[in-house]
Amino acid sequence: MSLLMETATSAANSAANAPHFPVSATLVYVVGFIAAVTIGSIAWYNSKRPVGWEDKERPSVVPEVKKEETPGVGTPKG
């Protein structure tokens, strides 16, 4: 019986000293969210303008992506 009590006590102590949610995982979530918002914003601004936005100007921070006539077809440029 004392062996079970010692095992339970050591498990409780190790759980109390264990690190909580890792900082690196939180950092991955934050960086991923910022990247998704940035890439999504660029894609949205470069797509067809939604109703009501046709006459608005593109913000200066958003790069303009040129469309190719036949993307992925032919020899590589460069």
Side-chain angles (χ1 to χ4, degrees):
M1 185 66 154
S2 64
L3 179 63
L4 293 176
M5 295 299 286
E6 288 176 22
T7 305
T9 304
S10 66
N13 286 339
S14 65
N17 294 333
H20 298 289
F21 197 68
V23 175
S24 58
T26 305
L27 185 63
V28 167
Y29 286 128
V30 169
V31 170
F33 178 76
I34 292 171
V37 168
T38 303
I39 292 169
S41 296
I42 291 172
W44 183 76
Y45 278 116
N46 282 311
S47 67
K48 182 181 174 195
R49 299 277 192 259
V51 176
W53 285 78
E54 294 92 351
D55 59 341
K56 304 295 183 204
E57 289 192 29
R58 177 187 313 274
S60 60
V61 292
V62 177
E64 186 171 354
V65 178
K66 303 285 186 194
K67 290 184 179 180
E68 293 182 16
E69 193 171 313
T70 54
V73 178
T75 58
K77 297 177 184 175

